[in-house]
Amino acid sequence: MLPYGKQSISDDDVEAVVEVLRGDWLTTGPAVGRFEAELARWTGGVPCLAVTSGTAALHVAYVAAGVGPGDEVVTSPLTFVATAATAALRGARVVFADVRPDTGTLCPDAASAAVSGRTRAVTAVDYAGHPADYDELREVATRAGAVLVADAAHSIGSTYKGLPVGRLADLTTFSFFPTKTVTTAEGGAVAVADPERFRRAARFRNHGLVRDPAEQRDPGHGGWHQEVHEFGLNYRLPDVLCALGASQLRRLAAFRARRAGLVARYDALLAGVPGLTLPARRPYVEPSWHLYPVRVRDGRRGEVYDRMRAAGIGVQVNYIPAYWHPVFEDLGYRRGLCPEAEAYYAEQLSLPLFPDLSSAEQDRVVECLTSVLGS
């Protein structure tokens, strides 16, 4: 089965991990700081915190934003469920706003209509690697007195109007799952510009521990003493995985270029194919393509998915609208809430896209797709 996404591991990646395994630190050591510093080069200098997953990154971001019971978080339903689930776990009410029909990113007009006096955060999702409309969403968040969060799980290395993802929102989250552009096996990160939010995020990822005697309520016990003022969790990413991530980040420019080349080749090979809509791109955006999401029209998406899978081509669908999940249905959310997102989902199909995809393999994907659509 040709997968829709796959990691690219080099000998340098392997050696970076082996070097840590042969050293003194397996976790919470120097490789963590090196990885965070390397990542900050891609966020325009915004400080970063490594965590155990993209989901953990979202959880940490909502904590840093002060999201809690009684608050509302406005976000897109066209995303993996974690974008909304982590807000709900903080006790917030998730308010889903519709998406742009071409890019699948959060629609600023829909977000504006969804905010209220209880909105604590507006969370954009850079669907498929294409940054959301951040200037307009910043205005929406500012008018609402809310924090702007970027779920950039798909878009590391992307730019919007010349600015890197990581500098566009108050808090930006990344994922390093194996199908993403850069991997740490499992892992994620949060980019946080505000020092107080950074402090809160850093504490939360480490059980909420306070080690500085100047900040402790009952200091003086000794060098071992540490306190918890607010509950946190263990979201620390170990040195072994940070070493892999730092090595991968050194290849990010090459990964982006290769993915962009594959996307351009798909665009050329699939141009004008009947019944197919190709992904859109804004002229002021440089995406880091995580997915190549086509839309299969005329109600044929399910048929095309089944037949291509049967032919050994691992196409995928990304994603079921988040509020369709039973956990949200049980909370009272109903289908029909975001028509554009539901229409996008009904046609969406992700074709294989990863750096090691060969031209011959890509030709096979195109030939199979056009054959199925033409039959």
Side-chain angles (χ1 to χ4, degrees):
M1 178 72 73
L2 183 65
Y4 88 94
K6 181 183 178 183
Q7 69 274 13
S8 176
I9 302 298
S10 69
D11 289 342
D12 286 344
D13 295 336
V14 174
E15 182 54 38
V17 172
V18 170
E19 183 178 351
V20 170
L21 290 172
R22 289 173 173 157
D24 296 327
W25 295 87
L26 288 182
T27 191
T28 323
V32 178
R34 288 195 295 267
F35 174 59
E36 292 171 338
E38 187 71 21
L39 182 57
R41 292 180 56 243
W42 288 94
T43 62
V46 176
C48 298
L49 287 167
V51 294
T52 51
S53 68
T55 302
L58 286 160
H59 197 184
V60 169
Y62 288 137
V63 169
V67 172
D71 293 330
E72 293 179 350
V73 172
V74 174
T75 193
S76 164
L78 195 60
T79 181
F80 186 62
V81 67
T83 312
T86 46
L89 286 168
R90 291 292 299 166
R93 176 176 175 264
V94 181
V95 180
F96 292 103
D98 218 339
V99 301
R100 298 281 201 196
D102 57 347
T103 62
T105 57
L106 183 63
C107 174
D109 290 340
S112 181
V115 298
S116 74
R118 300 172 69 180
T119 303
R120 174 70 67 171
V122 175
T123 303
V125 178
D126 295 342
Y127 182 78
H130 190 292
D133 296 301
Y134 281 101
D135 283 352
E136 294 90 336
L137 290 171
R138 170 63 72 186
E139 292 178 6
V140 172
T142 299
R143 286 197 302 269
V147 175
L148 182 59
V149 178
D151 181 342
H154 292 184
S155 62
I156 186 171
S158 297
T159 63
Y160 168 87
K161 297 184 180 180
L163 292 175
V165 166
R167 284 190 60 189
L168 303 169
D170 298 307
L171 296 145
T172 303
T173 68
F174 299 102
S175 171
F176 306 120
F177 189 72
T179 57
K180 301 300 195 299
T181 303
V182 163
T183 189
T184 58
E186 291 279 6
V190 189
V192 195
D194 179 77
E196 177 56 28
R197 290 189 184 125
F198 186 92
R199 182 196 64 79
R200 190 172 186 190
R203 282 187 179 176
F204 185 77
R205 76 158 177 184
N206 190 30
H207 301 283
L209 292 173
V210 178
R211 289 178 167 146
D212 185 351
E215 298 180 8
Q216 292 174 350
R217 295 183 189 176
D218 185 25
H221 293 273
W224 64 86
H225 184 64
Q226 49 193 348
E227 301 174 346
V228 173
H229 297 179
E230 294 180 89
F231 290 125
L233 295 169
N234 179 1
Y235 280 155
R236 300 187 305 263
L237 191 65
D239 274 46
V240 174
L241 301 188
C242 284
L244 172 59
S247 180
Q248 287 264 302
L249 283 171
R250 289 191 283 273
R251 302 166 63 203
L252 177 51
F255 286 153
R256 292 186 69 240
R258 176 58 180 161
R259 285 174 176 268
L262 290 166
V263 166
R265 195 165 187 268
Y266 268 137
D267 286 347
L269 293 171
L270 294 171
V273 173
L276 200 65
T277 300
L278 304 187
R281 172 184 165 183
R282 300 281 185 266
Y284 46 80
V285 162
E286 289 289 340
S288 284
W289 292 105
H290 163 56
L291 303 173
Y292 187 78
V294 299
R295 293 182 66 163
V296 181
R297 301 193 298 272
D298 306 318
R300 299 188 64 191
R301 194 273 307 276
E303 172 201 353
V304 173
Y305 173 92
D306 289 339
R307 291 178 64 180
M308 292 190 74
R309 282 263 173 168
I313 297 174
V315 291
Q316 186 57 284
V317 172
N318 305 94
Y319 300 93
I320 177 176
Y323 56 82
W324 282 23
H325 289 284
V327 66
F328 281 106
E329 290 183 344
D330 291 347
L331 292 171
Y333 295 81
R334 294 293 177 260
R335 299 188 182 197
L337 182 61
C338 296
E340 293 290 359
E342 294 184 19
Y344 197 106
Y345 163 69
E347 296 181 343
Q348 196 275 341
L349 191 72
S350 297
L351 304 185
L353 182 67
F354 50 91
D356 295 333
L357 183 71
S358 69
S359 295
E361 289 170 329
Q362 192 176 29
D363 289 341
R364 177 183 161 208
V365 173
V366 171
E367 289 166 8
C368 183
L369 177 58
T370 54
S371 174
V372 171
L373 287 172
S375 62

